[in-house]
Amino acid sequence: MSDVSTGVAAKAATLVSFKNTSVTYPNGFTALTDVNLEFHEGEFIVVVGLSGAGKSTLIRTINRLVPPTGGDVNVLGTPIRNISDANLRKTRRRIGMIFQNYNLVRRSSVLANVLTGRLGDLPTWRALLGLYTKSDTDLAIKCLTRVGILDKAYNRADQLSGGQQQRVAIARALAQQPRILLADEPVASLDPPTAHQVMRDLKALSREEGLLTIVNLHFVDMAMEYADRVIGLHAGTVVYDGPGADMTEADFERIYQRKIRPDDMRGAAEH
Amino acid sequence: MSTHPALPKRPFPWMSVVGTAITAVILIWSVQGTKFNLWVLADGLPNVLRFFKGMLPPWPMDFVTGQLIPPMVETIRIALAASMLGAALALPVAFMASSTVAPNKWVYQITRNLLNLVRTIPDLVLAALLASAFGIGAFPGFLALLVFSFGVVAKLLADTVETIDRGPMDAIATTGATRILQARHGVFPQIAPEFIAYTLYAFEINVRAATVLGLVGAGGVGVLLKTQIAFLNYTNVGIITAVTFAVVMLIDTLSSTIRRRLV
Ligand SMILES: Nc1ncnc2c1ncn2[C@@H]1O[C@H](COP(=O)(O)OP(=O)(O)O)[C@@H](O)[C@H]1O
Ligand SMILES: [Mg+2]
């Protein structure tokens, strides 16, 4: 890999900025309070916090799966709080998303799943009929090659192992040619070696494509191992923002409201 | 070992006595309405016997190939066309009639109610109505079964769509695809086998219904049946019944075998 240092990435273009952002769900529960953050091109960011801290809400606000109810979020140059449906779709095309449970169409082939990443950029009639162009297929093949499962292209998605399915999901996101990659607990359903493999893949992609990558993780040691920058959330507010290596025990206790415990660790990578 | 405690005194079973009496009255009143008469039954018996004899081979093959096969084929074609086109029309409506995919509550409620309404129309009444509007023939029969197939497939499919995994739809939504594309690529692959199965199911019912529709002037083998009954030609009525029975059985068996493999 290249010798690009993380410091360079921090000076790169701002792709996402939270400005006094708050999220109150329709039931009245406030999940994010007055968040101010800036994320840049090429950054690999890991968000940590207790279950219920607001990690998913933070990530889902970026592609407006959850709309902000206070302040605003500027994503790829567009404020999204009052964005039109058409502009939202346009913005979402450049934001890939990876889920804990992969969210693949289980009965469809791996290739068909990856190709759905191209739908947003196709003319409607082509997209409806599933008439992908040659360049779409070429791109899908490139993405499958990139995550190392091209040989599974014609397998049904549900014939693959968990780690392979998550790689298909990554390939689907890559097929969007995104500038931002969001991953909500992407390794929570995987065994430790597979989890580390997927994290290494995500990290390498972020480096090579200059992708802003934002990953939610439950385990602190994994966050420290992979993140350029760790965001610590507690009860909907940002309580830590800095390199993982700089995190002190006090920072940790602010995030988790207690001393560090062995079960906060997933265990080091078996590289 | 131990003495049982005494049962309490059984109360008089008013409900059963009154219920039995009411049922008896309803039964007598309704049977009287059918003009049931043993003598008429006995009188008609020779005709019934001739009818059953007609079902047994050897059949007059010129009747079978000349007069029976063409309307039988017409019946199957009506049933096929109605189920396939009805199912095609049902697909988008089923999406709108399921809360998972419908763009909003209004679309959902309106299409749901519309589907319930469609399914309350008896197909025979509809066929008779259409035959008087569009003239006697295969076309009104086809239209009636089209409406019927549409209703059945749309309702079954809408209920299936309610139970699917929303995950793939959400994932496709985050790529910037419209809701129609989410349904097409995130939902349809999940329900495709059921969609084919419901279409086959509608086809099975249509074949049976299409044989009867001719009686109200809506084409197919029913027209022939009606004229043969009118001419008191019980042998031919027997043949028609036997062949129809065989065809319906065959299609049912084939179709349900395929359905079982699908889902
Ligand atoms: N759709 C929703 N409606 C109401 N409350 C919600 C909703 N989604 C999440 N919450 C609440 O918001 C808080 C933050 O949730 P979430 O962002 O999922 O946390 P995390 O991902 O860190 O576990 C939790 O208390 C959760 O119960
Ligand atoms: Mg979460």
Side-chain angles (χ1 to χ4, degrees), chain A residues 98 147 165-175 198 201-202 205:
Chain A
I98 295 155
V147 294
Q165 290 193 42
Q166 195 57 295
R167 262 173 244 159
V168 177
I170 294 172
R172 173 175 63 191
L174 282 182
V198 166
D201 283 354
L202 287 174
L205 278 171

Side-chain angles (χ1 to χ4, degrees), chain A residues 25-27 29-31 49-58 184-185 216:
Chain A
Y25 281 108
N27 68 357
F29 186 86
T30 299
L50 288 170
S51 173
K55 303 182 295 292
S56 297
T57 305
L58 183 81
D184 196 354
E185 308 242 11
N216 285 348

Side-chain angles (χ1 to χ4, degrees), chain B:
Chain B
M1 265 205 317
S2 68
T3 55
H4 293 289
L7 265 176
K9 192 171 173 293
R10 186 173 179 224
F12 186 76
W14 284 110
M15 289 305 267
S16 337
V17 171
V18 173
T20 310
I22 291 176
T23 310
V25 169
I26 291 175
L27 181 66
I28 292 164
W29 177 71
S30 57
V31 170
Q32 275 177 348
T34 67
K35 310 281 188 291
F36 179 81
N37 184 323
L38 268 181
W39 297 119
V40 174
L41 199 67
D43 264 0
L45 220 54
N47 290 337
V48 176
L49 284 178
R50 268 198 290 149
F51 162 81
F52 277 114
K53 250 173 67 192
M55 290 176 85
L56 299 173
W59 291 330
M61 285 320 283
D62 47 333
F63 172 75
V64 173
T65 52
Q67 291 190 59
L68 179 53
I69 301 269
M72 193 72 233
V73 171
E74 185 181 59
T75 295
I76 295 173
R77 286 168 73 180
I78 293 172
L80 264 179
S83 22
M84 292 202 291
L85 294 175
L89 293 175
L91 187 60
V93 178
F95 282 140
M96 290 194 278
S98 65
S99 55
T100 3
V101 185
N104 57 55
K105 268 212 301 273
W106 291 104
V107 171
Y108 168 72
Q109 278 303 339
I110 290 169
T111 38
R112 275 260 145 179
N113 291 331
L114 206 92
L115 283 184
N116 286 334
L117 190 78
V118 166
R119 287 181 319 121
T120 56
I121 309 171
D123 44 3
L124 261 176
V125 174
L126 188 64
L129 211 85
L130 292 167
S132 57
F134 300 107
I136 294 201
F139 185 58
F142 159 72
L143 281 184
L145 292 183
L146 180 80
V147 172
F148 166 78
S149 314
F150 166 80
V152 169
V153 176
K155 176 65 169 69
L156 289 173
L157 208 57
D159 290 344
T160 306
V161 174
E162 298 277 2
T163 68
I164 57 137
D165 172 15
R166 276 199 59 110
M169 216 184 133
D170 291 342
I172 292 173
T174 63
T175 70
T178 55
R179 190 165 281 263
I180 294 172
L181 293 180
Q182 294 161 36
R184 163 68 181 85
H185 293 280
V187 182
F188 181 70
Q190 295 190 58
I191 57 153
E194 282 85 355
F195 176 57
I196 299 169
Y198 299 153
T199 309
L200 284 169
Y201 173 65
F203 174 58
E204 287 168 37
I205 302 174
N206 281 347
V207 173
R208 257 172 283 167
T211 57
V212 187
L213 284 182
L215 296 176
V216 296
V221 78
V223 178
L224 181 68
L225 189 64
K226 192 180 175 184
T227 51
Q228 296 301 312
I229 292 173
F231 295 150
L232 305 179
N233 200 337
Y234 292 107
T235 314
N236 285 352
V237 172
I239 297 169
I240 296 169
T241 312
V243 170
T244 306
F245 179 73
V247 168
V248 170
M249 276 277 283
L250 187 74
I251 286 176
D252 260 20
T253 315
L254 260 173
S255 165
S256 53
T257 309
I258 301 174
R259 278 199 286 134
R260 249 183 324 225
R261 301 217 167 166
L262 279 171
V263 183

Side-chain angles (χ1 to χ4, degrees), chain A residues 6-254:
Chain A
T6 56
V8 174
K11 288 184 200 78
T14 304
L15 300 187
V16 175
S17 59
F18 286 82
K19 289 178 190 140
N20 309 107
T21 312
S22 297
V23 170
T24 302
Y25 281 108
N27 68 357
F29 186 86
T30 299
L32 282 187
T33 311
D34 201 24
V35 171
N36 286 285
L37 287 168
E38 291 205 337
F39 298 153
H40 310 95
E41 190 163 21
E43 265 186 315
F44 195 87
I45 294 165
V46 175
V47 183
V48 294
L50 288 170
S51 173
K55 303 182 295 292
S56 297
T57 305
L58 183 81
I59 267 200
R60 289 168 159 256
T61 309
I62 295 171
N63 60 2
R64 211 178 181 282
L65 283 178
V66 173
T69 51
D72 209 336
V73 187
N74 194 301
V75 182
L76 297 171
T78 314
I80 59 151
R81 183 164 168 195
N82 297 311
I83 197 170
S84 70
D85 283 356
N87 280 335
L88 176 61
R89 285 197 300 271
K90 217 163 141 191
T91 304
R92 279 181 174 174
R93 286 185 211 166
R94 302 283 83 87
I95 308 174
M97 186 159 191
I98 295 155
F99 304 82
Q100 177 181 342
N101 43 1
Y102 329 129
N103 285 353
L104 300 178
V105 183
R106 301 170 56 83
R107 274 171 172 168
S108 296
S109 73
V110 164
L111 184 62
N113 269 287
V114 176
L115 280 168
T116 59
R118 299 300 312 143
L119 289 172
D121 286 332
L122 279 178
T124 306
W125 68 274
R126 271 192 175 275
L128 262 179
L129 297 173
L131 290 175
Y132 299 100
T133 63
K134 174 85 168 51
S135 66
D136 291 324
T137 313
D138 289 345
L139 181 56
I141 289 170
K142 221 179 88 192
C143 296
L144 278 173
T145 310
R146 185 66 193 72
V147 294
I149 44 167
L150 184 63
D151 57 318
K152 301 275 190 260
Y154 292 107
N155 285 48
R156 258 174 66 143
D158 56 7
Q159 293 173 338
L160 272 55
S161 70
Q164 289 170 329
Q165 290 193 42
Q166 195 57 295
R167 262 173 244 159
V168 177
I170 294 172
R172 173 175 63 191
L174 282 182
Q176 285 173 247
Q177 301 188 298
R179 301 193 62 199
I180 304 172
L181 199 58
L182 309 174
D184 196 354
E185 308 242 11
V187 298
S189 308
L190 304 175
D191 59 80
T194 314
H196 279 287
Q197 184 57 55
V198 166
M199 286 304 291
R200 279 198 298 273
D201 283 354
L202 287 174
K203 178 92 187 204
L205 278 171
S206 173
R207 280 279 166 284
E208 287 157 30
E209 316 281 330
L211 281 177
L212 163 60
T213 306
I214 304 156
V215 185
N216 285 348
L217 283 183
H218 185 75
F219 298 101
V220 204
D221 57 339
M222 264 199 147
M224 293 189 178
E225 188 170 347
Y226 295 100
D228 298 333
R229 180 176 163 195
V230 174
I231 307 287
L233 278 184
H234 176 257
T237 53
V238 177
V239 293
Y240 182 84
D241 180 0
D246 293 358
M247 199 189 279
T248 63
E249 224 160 291
D251 291 323
F252 184 90
E253 281 165 30
R254 216 168 313 122

